[in-house]
Amino acid sequence: MALIKPERGGFAASKGASSTTDSDNDSKYAPYISVPPKKGIHGLRSLRYRVFDVYRRIFSIVFFGNVAAACAYVRFTSKGKEMANLGIAVAANLTIAILIRQEYIVNALFTVFCAMPISTPLWLRMQCAQVFHLGGLHSGCTIAATTWLIIFSIAATVWHSSSVVQVVSYLILTLMLAMVVSAYPAFRRHLHDKFEITHRFAGWTILGLFWIQAIFASLDAQGSLTLGDAILRSPVVWMLAVSTFSIIVPWLHLRKVTVRPETLSSHAIRLHFDYCTPVIGTAVRLSTHPLIEWHAFATIAKPKEKGFSVIISNAGDWTSHQIRTAPTKLWVRGIPTCGVARIVPLFRSIVLVSTGSGIGPCLPIIYAKRAPMRIFWSTRNPEQTFGSAIIDSIKDTDPHAIIHDTKTQGRPDMVAITYRLYKESGAEAVLIISNQKVTQLVVYGLESRGIPAYGAIFDS
């Protein structure tokens, strides 16, 4: 073990600096904190934890599964079934991509994986905790569906399918490619509103076009059957029916609900809702214009209390508008959906790390006190921005919590301080809720040292 300098963006507090609270002061660990070197060879380590993370491994499984399906198609498809089987490949991948984002299915998967008893081996619980990477299945199947659709469109042209099938296929393909391009991480991150609008309206249009294509493809292949029988016997039609129902269900829960605003500061507001009481580790989507944009926020529910709240901090036009206007009505859609914080019950003890308003998703875990935990929260002016009640709750759960005020203490070395808390507490895992850059820094910094660390993957 060696004493190393803080990593990039690291600890800058000076000796004797004090927090705005009387929590454990991390400045006494500056300027150096004992952290072991990362394990393994640099290049291989990056491949293991960055390039081939769980998300991309799931994506790869989907890719090679479709390669195997393509080989089976070439080898075993009988004459006259070529177009039908291509259509099934497109529809199957599209259906899986839609279902894996369906809120009831997401919650069911989290419930099953997070029900693993803590008496089971840690390595098994660590694998179950990776359930939040299920987005790899969504992106993998979407890319596969698009690839199969390209093949389908070319085949429809070469084999002279009906003009309607050909035209609709190319229309769908154009929209699918637009969705894939807009979902590219760099585009999605910088132009999220455009990504969301493209995803929603192009998706709905694609679904309608697929119904048209399925009906006319059934007409092409009906033979001696009536059109009704040909449609009912088509696997594509049934998969489309499942996909359509899956997309409609969240909108059946669309409603405008009452909100009780609690202004915390000029930078943050807490909104209280009472229309449901969600479980720990879920998020709800809010909107002022339900057809245009939606914003996800972690739900904060207190034990034995009805309802929940969310914390909104200033992170853009929409959030700043909510802070200024303190809304009393907002649109909600679907049901509270599980996210990365839902995995906490899998571990006997944890280190909870957050920055800024990332403390919001951590609060229901802190309130519940279901497992021993150490808490590290780094933010600017914590008490002034978020109020004393949140700080009191943190210290009630962890009297020695580190609440780092970046205004007076500078930026902390997130990896080093988290590592120290993990070692001192004997925790089984680390959960971090922060922005993408800090999350990836901490998760990689800990995983590369053999520590189970989990954080959001920012894939939506």
Side-chain angles (χ1 to χ4, degrees):
M1 182 175 291
L3 293 177
I4 64 172
K5 291 184 178 180
E7 299 196 15
R8 188 176 179 181
F11 193 63
S14 61
K15 183 80 173 177
S18 61
S19 171
T20 56
T21 76
D22 58 357
S23 302
D24 190 6
N25 184 0
D26 58 271
S27 63
K28 61 187 177 183
Y29 301 100
Y32 301 104
I33 297 176
S34 182
V35 180
K38 297 170 184 174
K39 297 181 178 181
I41 302 171
H42 174 69
L44 294 178
R45 184 173 63 236
S46 295
L47 284 174
R48 166 65 179 83
Y49 295 109
R50 286 180 168 165
V51 178
F52 294 115
D53 58 10
V54 176
Y55 184 97
R56 290 189 177 93
R57 275 179 265 164
I58 294 174
F59 184 100
S60 299
I61 290 171
V62 173
F63 173 80
F64 287 113
N66 276 275
V67 169
C71 294
Y73 171 83
V74 172
R75 176 67 178 83
F76 298 110
T77 295
S78 57
K79 188 173 182 179
K81 295 288 185 179
E82 295 92 347
M83 291 299 295
N85 288 343
L86 285 173
I88 290 171
V90 175
N93 278 283
L94 191 65
T95 301
I96 295 172
I98 292 171
L99 288 179
I100 204 63
R101 289 297 199 197
Q102 216 289 325
E103 294 155 346
Y104 285 101
I105 292 177
V106 170
N107 287 355
L109 288 171
F110 269 91
T111 299
V112 170
F113 279 83
C114 295
M116 185 67 64
I118 60 173
S119 58
T120 54
L122 178 59
W123 67 266
L124 182 57
R125 287 181 281 130
M126 287 168 54
Q127 296 307 311
C128 289
Q130 302 287 0
V131 62
F132 62 93
H133 286 277
L134 50 79
L137 191 58
H138 171 79
S139 58
C141 286
T142 301
I143 296 297
T146 304
T147 304
W148 282 109
L149 184 60
I150 293 172
I151 299 170
F152 180 94
S153 301
I154 294 172
T157 303
V158 172
W159 293 330
H160 305 293
S161 295
S162 69
S163 299
V164 173
V165 170
Q166 292 185 49
V167 171
V168 171
S169 295
Y170 284 107
L171 286 175
I172 294 172
L173 181 57
T174 301
L175 292 172
M176 286 283 285
L177 290 172
M179 289 179 67
V180 169
V181 170
S182 69
Y184 186 74
F187 184 100
R188 186 178 66 226
R189 185 164 54 250
H190 296 294
L191 298 168
H192 191 273
D193 290 345
K194 290 182 174 59
F195 154 74
E196 188 174 354
I197 291 172
T198 302
H199 222 65
R200 179 170 301 115
F201 290 103
W204 290 348
T205 304
I206 286 170
L207 196 62
L209 290 172
F210 263 122
W211 275 107
I212 295 172
Q213 184 193 66
I215 292 171
F216 277 87
S218 298
L219 185 63
D220 284 351
Q222 73 179 99
S224 60
L225 298 173
T226 65
L227 179 58
D229 286 339
I231 291 173
L232 290 176
R233 293 188 182 190
S234 169
V236 172
V237 168
W238 289 104
M239 285 187 277
L240 279 175
V242 171
S243 299
T244 303
F245 179 75
S246 176
I247 290 172
I248 290 173
V249 167
W251 292 93
L252 298 178
H253 293 276
L254 179 67
R255 53 187 144 167
K256 202 169 192 178
V257 299
T258 300
V259 181
R260 179 171 63 83
E262 176 191 354
T263 300
L264 302 176
S265 66
S266 60
H267 184 77
I269 189 171
R270 191 168 185 170
L271 304 180
H272 298 263
F273 303 81
D274 61 7
Y275 72 91
C276 75
T277 304
V279 300
I280 294 173
T282 57
V284 65
R285 295 186 180 275
L286 307 176
S287 179
T288 50
H289 301 90
L291 289 178
I292 304 300
E293 61 179 346
W294 288 89
H295 302 268
F297 296 94
T299 61
I300 305 169
K302 291 185 177 181
K304 299 180 181 179
E305 290 188 15
K306 180 184 178 183
F308 67 95
S309 63
V310 302
I311 292 179
I312 298 176
S313 64
N314 190 352
D317 294 340
W318 192 89
T319 53
S320 63
H321 179 73
Q322 307 314 308
I323 295 170
R324 289 195 311 270
T325 59
T328 57
K329 295 281 186 180
L330 283 173
W331 289 95
V332 297
R333 187 194 74 197
I335 59 174
T337 310
C338 295
V340 63
R342 181 69 176 83
I343 68 173
V344 169
L346 284 168
F347 302 103
R348 289 188 175 91
S349 58
I350 61 166
V351 174
L352 206 53
V353 181
S354 69
T355 62
S357 58
I359 194 63
C362 299
L363 283 177
I365 302 168
I366 293 169
Y367 291 146
K369 300 180 183 178
R370 292 183 180 177
M373 69 186 74
R374 292 302 314 275
I375 302 170
F376 171 29
W377 180 30
S378 173
T379 189
R380 182 182 176 87
N381 293 327
E383 188 166 0
Q384 180 181 334
T385 303
F386 296 96
S388 59
I390 289 176
I391 293 174
D392 291 343
S393 298
I394 292 172
K395 295 196 301 185
D396 182 55
T397 298
D398 178 10
H400 300 291
I402 294 177
I403 301 178
H404 183 101
D405 185 348
T406 57
K407 182 178 181 180
T408 60
Q409 295 176 268
R411 298 172 64 186
D413 186 328
M414 302 294 295
V415 173
I417 296 173
T418 303
Y419 177 84
R420 178 182 68 81
L421 292 178
Y422 172 82
K423 283 299 184 181
E424 286 183 355
S425 64
E428 288 191 328
V430 173
L431 173 65
I432 176 167
I433 307 294
S434 183
N435 58 49
Q436 185 171 0
K437 181 179 179 180
V438 174
T439 298
Q440 291 175 344
L441 171 72
V442 173
V443 170
Y444 175 71
L446 296 176
E447 284 190 328
S448 60
R449 293 177 171 92
I451 297 171
Y454 304 92
I457 53 176
F458 304 94
D459 67 329
S460 62

